Amino acid sequence: MNTRITKSTMLVALLGLSSQLFAQETPTASGRFGKQNLRTWSVGAQAGIFSQNTILGGGSVKAREFKSVGYGAFVKKQILPALGLQADFLRGEIKTLNASSTIEQKNSINWAGSLTAVLNIANFSLNTENAVLIPYVKAGAGYMSSDSQVGTTQVFQDREGWYIPTGVGFKFGVSKGINIDLGYDINFIKSSPTVKSAYLENRYSYSHVGVEFALGNKENSQLQNYSAVADLRKQTAEESNELRRALSTAEENAARDRAQYAKDLADDDNDGVANKFDKCPGTASGTVVDGSGCPIKVQREIVKETKVVVTEADRKVVRDAISNLEFDLGKSTIRSKSNATLDRVANLLVEKNFSLKLAGHTDNTGGRELNLRLSKDRAESVKAYLVSQGANASRIEATGYGPDQPISTNKTAAGRQENRRVEFTLY
């Protein structure tokens, strides 16, 4: 009764594994092994030679290997590139001669079913699609039914018992979905003393050749043939090409930005307002314009003085304007809280006919070209505002120095804050 339960349990387990073949293929998640889906199910057939003598010893009987033929089939599920579970089904006969070489002993394997774990030792591959050579080892557990006959005497029939299958071998990948399998197995019989005594030293070997077919989409490769080294080489080449394309695009964008920057900050009509801020391009030479580059219809009378004297009170007006000057983050837009002190600077320029130099500066955060542009734009914004309040554009010079003239260290936040400034110089 126990033997029947054990046999039934083994068959149910093997049938349960093989039934998964009829379910929809479960592809390997993209990105788990490279960037491709890989086939994990395969089936195969094999045939080979049984022998009572193994590489572990033996030879006390004369094995008749070329008359001891076995054959079978298998189903395999690959879990990882290096690990798979394989269900084998096997039949065949093992023939030997006794010491006098006159009586033949025949052990028939009516059927044998086993479940083994197959460990790929290495993967010699030139690409991720087709392995050139995969050496492997395997071990597991199995259940078998056997007959034994010596000469014309039937020793036993349909005796069942457990055995432990072990083996080594090589697989050769011949295409995306086909492997040739060369293997050598040693099966250790572990139960039923009667059966064990019929096999020399309780074991027998099986040298076989087989062919394995992967199931699923023919366009996908096999998971067991996956090579991490080959896949890394391919991904590195793809990333290098992508980086080259990105660098080429970045250089083109930088050249375009430089050309646009030069165009924006040029003054084609020589009215003292850069093209970027000039809303009335093409004004006649000598025309007095406002901060937007448009002619001023009503101009304030400019008082000419033979000598310009800058007092301490004048310098305080400028210092107040500098301390209250704020821009939107990363932009040249002046915040409204700065308008009051800038208005006083504009009145000072009109009343005393001063000239003013505006010098924009930044810290070293970010690219140098971007900082040069930002410092120039901020100086121009201040100039534009002062001119809009009546100041003479021709007496205001706006220059941007970017990060080139720091007054403090750029290694601290406080130092960088000091370096981000617009300097006013009256003369």
Side-chain angles (χ1 to χ4, degrees):
M1 182 64 178
N2 291 335
T3 300
R4 291 181 179 178
I5 294 175
T6 303
K7 177 179 176 181
S8 299
T9 303
M10 185 68 182
L11 289 176
V12 168
L14 295 177
L15 289 174
L17 177 62
S18 61
S19 67
Q20 296 294 323
L21 293 172
F22 299 99
Q24 183 177 358
E25 177 189 6
T26 304
T28 302
S30 178
R32 180 183 177 190
F33 300 110
K35 298 180 179 179
Q36 54 182 324
N37 293 328
L38 301 170
R39 289 186 276 178
T40 59
W41 284 101
S42 60
V43 296
Q46 57 186 224
I49 296 174
F50 287 121
S51 177
Q52 283 278 250
N53 298 322
T54 70
I55 60 173
L56 300 180
S60 60
V61 298
K62 298 180 181 180
R64 310 184 73 179
E65 282 89 354
F66 294 102
K67 291 187 177 181
S68 303
V69 178
Y71 57 91
F74 63 86
V75 178
K76 186 177 180 183
K77 169 65 176 179
Q78 199 70 26
I79 302 173
L80 297 170
L83 178 64
L85 291 179
Q86 181 169 310
D88 288 281
F89 305 86
L90 191 63
R91 287 176 57 88
E93 293 183 343
I94 304 174
K95 296 181 179 180
T96 57
L97 293 175
N98 65 3
S100 62
S101 301
T102 58
I103 301 176
E104 181 181 75
Q105 178 175 341
K106 180 176 68 174
N107 293 332
S108 300
I109 299 175
N110 301 323
W111 56 265
S114 65
L115 183 63
T116 58
V118 183
L119 180 64
N120 296 335
I121 301 175
N123 186 327
F124 300 95
S125 173
L126 299 179
N127 56 63
T128 59
E129 297 177 353
N130 182 32
V132 177
L133 176 64
I134 305 176
Y136 67 85
V137 295
K138 68 178 183 178
Y143 200 77
M144 62 183 291
S145 171
S146 179
D147 298 344
S148 182
Q149 181 177 329
V150 177
T152 58
T153 303
Q154 188 76 40
V155 180
F156 60 79
Q157 190 172 9
D158 294 329
R159 292 288 176 87
E160 299 177 4
W162 290 97
Y163 70 98
I164 298 177
T166 64
V168 297
F170 298 89
K171 288 189 178 181
F172 300 88
V174 296
S175 71
K176 277 189 176 182
I178 301 177
N179 297 320
I180 300 299
D181 183 13
L182 300 179
Y184 179 78
D185 300 344
I186 299 179
N187 299 304
F188 298 88
I189 301 173
K190 303 302 293 182
S191 58
S192 180
T194 305
V195 176
K196 291 170 65 174
S197 63
Y199 291 84
L200 176 63
E201 298 178 349
N202 306 328
R203 60 179 180 253
Y204 64 92
S205 66
Y206 177 45
S207 304
H208 57 85
V209 59
V211 59
E212 180 182 23
F213 301 92
L215 302 179
N217 189 339
K218 294 182 179 179
E219 300 300 321
N220 295 337
S221 304
Q222 302 178 66
L223 176 57
Q224 69 174 329
N225 290 8
Y226 168 83
S227 168
V229 175
D231 188 47
L232 179 61
R233 188 183 69 250
K234 282 189 173 183
Q235 290 188 49
T236 301
E238 293 174 358
E239 291 171 356
S240 296
N241 292 333
E242 184 176 349
L243 180 58
R244 291 190 186 96
R245 290 191 295 270
L247 288 175
S248 177
T249 302
E251 290 173 356
E252 293 175 359
N253 292 340
R256 182 196 62 204
D257 291 344
R258 284 193 294 270
Q260 186 63 42
Y261 176 69
K263 180 180 178 181
D264 289 344
L265 295 185
D267 185 7
D268 294 340
D269 54 9
N270 295 314
D271 60 358
V273 179
N275 293 340
K276 181 176 182 180
F277 301 97
D278 198 341
K279 296 183 179 179
C280 299
T283 54
S285 178
T287 303
V288 180
V289 298
D290 59 17
S292 62
C294 295
I296 298 177
K297 296 180 180 180
V298 179
Q299 302 184 24
R300 297 185 185 182
E301 181 181 355
I302 299 176
V303 179
K304 295 183 179 180
E305 296 182 2
T306 58
K307 185 177 180 180
V308 176
V309 178
V310 180
T311 66
E312 182 59 30
D314 298 334
R315 294 190 181 92
K316 184 178 185 306
V317 172
V318 171
R319 286 197 300 270
D320 291 343
I322 294 174
S323 61
N324 289 314
L325 182 59
E326 292 186 9
F327 297 91
D328 288 342
L329 183 62
K331 298 180 180 179
S332 60
T333 307
I334 301 173
R335 293 183 176 175
S336 59
K337 66 173 294 185
S338 304
N339 292 348
T341 52
L342 287 177
D343 289 345
R344 289 196 287 273
V345 174
N347 291 332
L348 186 63
L349 295 177
V350 173
E351 292 172 1
K352 295 192 176 185
N353 199 25
F354 285 148
S355 294
L356 178 66
K357 179 178 180 180
L358 300 170
H361 302 272
T362 67
D363 59 25
N364 65 350
T365 305
R368 183 175 181 278
E369 290 187 3
L370 178 61
N371 283 328
L372 282 172
R373 184 188 310 173
L374 180 59
S375 64
K376 175 67 171 175
D377 287 353
R378 286 182 171 177
E380 289 284 358
S381 292
V382 175
K383 176 180 177 179
Y385 182 83
L386 294 175
V387 173
S388 70
Q389 299 304 308
N392 189 344
S394 63
R395 285 188 170 273
I396 303 176
E397 177 187 356
T399 308
Y401 294 97
D404 296 341
Q405 297 181 8
I407 60 173
S408 184
T409 179
N410 279 308
K411 295 182 179 180
T412 64
R416 290 192 294 272
Q417 176 64 37
E418 291 182 23
N419 290 332
R420 296 191 292 268
R421 67 198 188 280
V422 177
E423 294 178 344
F424 292 54
T425 304
L426 284 175
Y427 61 95

